Amino acid sequence: MSENSCQSASEYLEELSAAFVLTDPTNLQALADLHTRFENISGFNVDKKIRDRGSQGAALLEKIILNETPDSSVAMKTLSDMISEMRQLIRTDPGRDSTEDTSIFQGNPDEAGAEGATSEINNTEKPEEEKAIEPAPPLEVDLSTIDGSLLGDFISESEEHLHNADNYLLQLESTADIENINALFRVFHTIKGIAGFLSLYSIQKLAHSTENLLDKVRKNECPVSGHLVDLVFSAADALKLEIGSLRKALSSDSRYIVNNEVGSLINELDTFAEKSGARKIGEILIDEGKTTHSELEKALSIQHENPEAKIGEILVQQGSVRPRDVNEALAVQQGKHKTVFVKESIKVDTEKLDKLVNTIGELVITEAMVTGNEALRRNASTEVLRNIRLLDKITRQLQEIGLSMRMISLKSTFQKMARLSRDLAKKAGKEINFITAGEDTELDKIVVEKIGDPLVHMVRNAADHGLETPQERLAAGKPAAGTISLRAYQKGGSICIELEDDGRGLDRKAIINKALKQGIIEEGENISEQEVYHLVFKPGFSTAKTVTDISGRGVGMDVVKKSVEALRGHIEIKTEQGKGTLFTIHLPLTMAIMDGMVVRVNNERYIVPTLSVIESFRPRKEDISCIVNKGEVVNTHGELIPLIHLAAIFNVNGAIENPENGIVVVLKDMGKRMGLLVDSILGQQQTVIKKVGDGIGKIKGVSGAAIMPDGRISLILDVSGIIRMSMGTEKNPYLKG
């Protein structure tokens, strides 16, 4: 084969591979085009094996077009393997012998795939000399030869597929549903096909071996077992590592190095697939809890006397199961499944989406400035006022649509937590039932991305320290298996995420003793229940008696607090010793806009996040008092809380100084409450959040700014920072004196 013909054939096969990836098996025109492409391969001056594969592919495509294949998906899989083999063959040295085997992977990757299927077409046995040992995939790959944009798309799509795989596996562990098996099969099949197209043979082989095992499961040639699920989990984790290595290599412009563990995992998957046997009706009925081992043994003894009788019929006759149960088991055995309809979607670059949302935000501000212009409204005609109202309505709708485009569900985050819980249970030797609810609740993309780490720390603590061991639970009269519940729901203008366990609960006495030992609180200091429990968020605070590789160093909950505060949220804790603990995280729906209460201090206006506002009232003289070294306090519902003047924080002159003449806004954050004295409340409004700017720097007590309808700028208050200043835990540089 000459160098030129080699080059042109190689280019042709690359085009064929690209066309195949985009081909819809139901599109006859596309299949006809592929048929022509396969036929044309015979015209190239290439190795005979490549020309043969071209002819075999064309023959198989003809059968697909004429609907003569029993399963078109299997036939398309065979064509994919043929293309991969031809592309690998074309890369070999021009002078090598045509009888030498040039399959891609070591150990005959797909006996029922490219080689098996083509042998079936030819109806001939493969010559013994062609069964040579195949070369292993390269351990280093030069990514400069692969299209960067295609590789980037493959990385992002594979990460998404593998996240979904975790959820399917968790569901498969509880019930062997054919839908989950098929969904898992599609995940690895898709990764395998694109990896082969991009010449990432190690990833292709690993995905192929996993796909092969799952194919046996869905054909009921291999039963679903704990070991099988563990193996597929290991394969998914290994693929995640490989995709991560790919991303790192692509971003650093270096060579992609394959993990050494991939080869041994491939062998383990292949060995397990070879040894697995078919799943029987009796096993399916037992796995689904429809019958017992003793009833099945009784039916088997009857079948032994009458070999022609079917086990399902015997079980029905002896009243062990219903006919419907047997029919459902047969459906599982035969791999029958429902048709799944998928919504069409389009992927948009996040940067473009952010620009769109920011532009819509600017439009909202400008529209508010125009429609709020008093001079315009005074001189406007009825028609102009009607158009202004219409403009306002359309602008608000556009704002809602733009923000909804940034909203994504918590599903993938909850799936990660379920997987984490499963791994922690095995590591800690505990039984954990992980229950989720409200995983379709949608939040701003930024919030969803940043809430993942706090939830990881909280789930770790719940699994390691919250839940007791099975022996301790049984001794306490509880079920051996502990329960961790993760729930999400919308409440008003915020989202609540709850993490609850039925474990030992927080030990108030142990927390106080630890806080005294570390000097966080003083002996005899009067602190509320919530303040005691919120001590667990202090840096380095932990009541764990032993430090494990899961948790116990006191750094996790501090991360939780900082992350939630950064998202303008807060946490509530409810606990009962011996019964469990409930953490509730309150978060804003989006980081782009905020529901705020506009307050006035002299001529200045400030915005208070409504998420932190408990109530507001005009205090009476008897409600206000002074405590030595504590400053002013206000009585609300029988509780004394610190009272801080907003004018004092920002050094505003001319504001109301006597609390009786002003309004107290009660704020709450992380279990602490305080009263904020303002001159008046102007109302509530949705505010587009703007950064203060790097030139000004970080201002204590301020989280951002907003442009008001009259064009003036108002500061958005950082409630957490103001509460810290009011409690004396953070120095307030703005207070007089």
Side-chain angles (χ1 to χ4, degrees):
M1 177 165 60
S2 69
E3 188 176 345
N4 289 336
S5 65
C6 233
Q7 180 65 26
S8 60
S10 176
E11 290 175 353
Y12 187 83
L13 285 174
E14 294 299 323
E15 291 176 5
L16 170 62
S17 185
F20 179 80
V21 170
L22 299 173
T23 297
D24 179 358
T26 61
N27 188 329
L28 292 178
Q29 184 59 47
L31 291 173
D33 176 62
L34 267 185
H35 179 269
T36 304
R37 289 175 182 270
F38 269 92
E39 278 191 326
N40 291 343
I41 292 172
S42 61
F44 284 93
N45 182 23
V46 291
D47 191 294
K48 182 178 181 297
K49 290 177 73 174
I50 298 175
R51 295 198 303 273
D52 288 345
R53 292 292 178 265
S55 301
Q56 292 159 2
L60 185 54
L61 273 162
E62 188 175 335
K63 288 187 176 183
I64 296 172
I65 293 168
L66 297 174
N67 202 23
E68 294 178 356
T69 55
D71 190 338
S72 61
S73 62
V74 174
M76 293 298 286
K77 178 178 177 293
T78 301
L79 288 170
S80 173
D81 293 335
M82 285 183 183
I83 294 172
S84 295
E85 184 186 9
M86 288 189 290
R87 291 174 69 232
Q88 180 66 9
L89 285 168
I90 207 71
R91 291 189 182 94
T92 56
D93 294 335
R96 70 186 292 174
D97 181 43
S98 63
T99 61
E100 184 181 349
D101 181 60
T102 52
S103 298
I104 304 168
F105 304 112
Q106 188 173 6
N108 290 329
D110 194 2
E111 301 256 337
E115 291 299 329
T118 48
S119 295
E120 191 177 325
I121 293 170
N122 290 335
N123 244 352
T124 57
E125 279 294 321
K126 190 174 179 182
E128 200 62 40
E129 62 267 23
E130 290 190 17
K131 296 181 180 177
I133 296 175
E134 301 156 353
L139 292 179
E140 288 191 20
V141 180
D142 183 7
L143 300 182
S144 62
T145 59
I146 304 174
D147 187 302
S149 62
L150 288 177
L151 192 56
D153 289 343
F154 169 67
I155 291 170
S156 59
E157 288 178 12
S158 296
E159 287 173 341
E160 184 179 340
H161 285 312
L162 291 169
H163 284 318
N164 292 334
D166 280 348
N167 186 45
Y168 298 139
L169 281 165
L170 288 168
Q171 293 178 34
L172 188 64
E173 225 173 11
S174 57
T175 174
D177 184 11
I178 190 65
E179 287 302 319
N180 290 325
I181 296 168
N182 286 333
L184 271 172
F185 178 85
R186 286 192 293 270
V187 165
F188 291 99
H189 179 70
T190 302
I191 292 174
K192 182 200 82 168
I194 303 175
F197 171 66
L198 295 173
S199 303
L200 301 170
Y201 297 121
S202 294
I203 292 177
Q204 181 192 28
K205 172 56 183 165
L206 178 56
H208 167 79
S209 294
T210 314
E211 172 202 46
N212 187 42
L213 178 58
L214 290 168
D215 190 40
K216 287 200 167 195
V217 174
R218 65 179 192 161
K219 289 177 178 176
N220 289 288
E221 296 174 5
C222 174
V224 175
S225 62
H227 184 50
L228 180 139
V229 174
D230 287 341
L231 264 180
V232 182
F233 261 129
S234 299
D237 289 342
L239 283 170
K240 286 178 190 174
L241 286 174
E242 294 308 301
I243 298 299
S245 299
L246 259 183
R247 181 182 286 279
K248 187 177 179 182
L250 186 63
S251 60
S252 60
D253 199 24
S254 58
R255 296 175 75 86
Y256 157 56
I257 301 174
V258 179
N259 192 310
N260 292 329
E261 303 298 321
V262 170
S264 59
L265 181 56
I266 290 170
N267 291 335
E268 191 175 354
L269 286 161
D270 291 342
T271 303
F272 187 84
E274 287 172 12
K275 291 181 179 178
S276 300
R279 199 174 177 205
K280 297 177 181 178
I281 290 292
E283 293 172 350
I284 296 171
L285 289 168
I286 288 176
D287 290 343
E288 293 183 351
K290 301 294 175 60
T291 189
T292 63
H293 285 283
S294 59
E295 289 173 337
L296 179 61
E297 286 174 6
K298 184 179 175 183
L300 287 171
S301 62
I302 295 172
Q303 189 187 46
H304 182 71
E305 296 173 1
N306 184 12
E308 293 183 2
K310 295 180 179 178
I311 197 69
E313 294 175 354
I314 297 171
L315 287 168
V316 171
Q317 287 170 5
Q318 68 185 29
S320 301
V321 296
R322 299 171 300 173
R324 179 182 172 184
D325 297 331
V326 176
N327 290 334
E328 289 175 356
L330 283 167
V332 172
Q333 188 186 57
Q334 294 164 11
K336 292 180 180 177
H337 57 278
K338 300 174 184 176
T339 304
V340 178
F341 297 95
V342 182
K343 287 184 179 179
E344 291 187 7
S345 61
I346 183 171
K347 291 193 175 182
V348 180
D349 189 273
T350 307
E351 189 177 345
K352 291 180 181 178
L353 188 58
D354 289 341
K355 285 181 180 178
L356 174 64
V357 173
N358 289 336
T359 305
I360 292 173
E362 296 294 337
L363 173 63
V364 170
I365 293 169
T366 307
E367 184 268 340
M369 292 169 64
V370 171
T371 57
N373 188 295
E374 288 299 325
L376 176 64
R377 285 186 173 274
R378 279 196 304 269
N379 301 318
S381 64
T382 305
E383 185 179 356
V384 171
L385 288 173
R386 186 173 64 249
N387 290 338
I388 285 175
R389 286 194 296 271
L390 182 59
L391 173 63
D392 181 68
K393 179 184 177 183
I394 293 171
T395 305
R396 298 301 163 188
Q397 287 177 343
L398 183 61
Q399 183 185 33
E400 290 175 6
I401 293 169
L403 292 174
S404 68
M405 291 170 69
R406 287 177 59 95
M407 307 290 270
I408 59 175
S409 76
L410 286 161
K411 194 168 189 176
S412 62
T413 303
F414 276 29
Q415 288 171 5
K416 291 175 188 175
M417 298 308 113
R419 170 69 193 280
L420 175 65
S421 171
R422 175 189 182 274
D423 294 344
L424 291 174
K426 292 202 168 192
K427 205 168 192 179
K430 296 180 179 179
E431 297 177 31
I432 301 176
N433 294 324
F434 193 85
I435 301 170
T436 60
E439 58 184 14
D440 291 327
T441 303
E442 292 188 333
L443 268 170
D444 189 291
K445 182 176 182 290
I446 295 174
V447 180
V448 173
E449 288 174 350
K450 292 186 177 179
I451 200 61
D453 285 343
L455 285 177
V456 166
H457 290 296
M458 293 171 75
V459 170
R460 280 176 176 272
N461 272 338
D464 196 26
H465 301 304
L467 295 180
E468 310 94 332
T469 63
Q471 295 79 13
E472 290 172 335
R473 292 181 63 84
L474 289 171
K478 296 181 179 181
T483 300
I484 297 177
S485 300
L486 184 60
R487 302 182 289 268
Y489 56 90
Q490 187 170 342
K491 186 179 181 182
S494 64
I495 291 293
C496 296
I497 298 175
E498 294 181 347
L499 183 75
E500 184 176 17
D501 67 72
D502 65 347
R504 51 174 64 94
L506 295 179
D507 189 337
R508 187 178 189 276
K509 188 176 179 181
I511 293 172
I512 291 175
N513 290 337
K514 189 75 173 183
L516 287 169
K517 188 177 179 181
Q518 293 186 355
I520 298 173
I521 60 174
E522 297 176 3
E523 190 73 47
E525 185 175 342
N526 186 23
I527 56 176
S528 67
E529 287 285 319
Q530 279 296 309
E531 288 174 329
V532 170
Y533 298 137
H534 276 81
L535 289 173
V536 300
F537 295 111
K538 294 289 182 182
F541 191 94
S542 176
T543 57
K545 294 177 181 177
T546 58
V547 175
T548 69
D549 57 351
I550 297 174
S551 61
R553 300 184 183 274
V555 294
M557 298 308 283
D558 179 38
V559 171
V560 171
K561 178 188 174 185
K562 288 180 179 177
S563 300
V564 171
E565 285 181 349
L567 294 170
R568 306 199 314 271
H570 65 270
I571 304 177
E572 292 179 356
I573 302 175
K574 290 181 182 178
T575 185
E576 188 173 351
Q577 200 163 348
K579 292 190 176 180
T581 305
L582 170 64
F583 289 89
T584 305
I585 302 175
H586 298 269
L587 294 168
L589 276 170
T590 176
M591 298 296 288
I593 63 170
M594 180 192 71
D595 286 326
M597 177 183 285
V598 184
V599 299
R600 181 181 64 84
V601 178
N602 196 6
N603 293 324
E604 299 295 332
R605 287 171 298 179
Y606 299 91
I607 299 170
V608 184
T610 53
L611 198 61
S612 301
V613 176
I614 304 299
E615 62 177 338
S616 60
F617 64 96
R618 188 181 297 276
R620 299 169 299 175
K621 185 177 181 178
E622 57 267 28
D623 293 331
I624 308 299
S625 56
C626 288
I627 299 178
V628 180
N629 297 326
K630 295 290 184 182
E632 276 186 310
V633 294
V634 60
N635 187 330
T636 170
H637 304 294
E639 180 185 356
L640 293 178
I641 61 173
L643 178 64
I644 188 167
H645 293 234
L646 186 57
I649 293 178
F650 297 110
N651 205 10
V652 178
N653 296 318
I656 292 173
E657 294 185 5
N658 187 350
E660 296 174 51
N661 300 326
I663 299 292
V664 174
V665 180
V666 180
L667 305 177
K668 182 178 180 181
D669 183 80
M670 298 295 286
K672 296 180 180 178
R673 299 204 299 167
M674 62 154 281
L676 189 69
L677 182 65
V678 300
D679 290 7
S680 63
I681 296 174
L682 301 180
Q684 286 185 305
Q685 68 177 52
Q686 278 198 334
T687 304
V688 179
I689 302 167
K690 298 288 182 183
K691 290 183 179 179
V692 177
D694 296 333
I696 298 176
K698 184 172 176 60
I699 304 174
K700 290 184 178 180
V702 174
S703 62
I707 302 173
M708 305 302 284
D710 61 2
R712 294 175 62 189
I713 294 174
S714 294
L715 296 177
I716 300 170
L717 301 184
D718 172 17
V719 174
S720 177
I722 291 176
I723 288 180
R724 285 198 299 270
M725 289 189 286
S726 73
M727 298 291 180
T729 56
E730 187 171 306
K731 185 176 165 80
N732 180 7
Y734 303 105
L735 287 174
K736 295 179 181 178

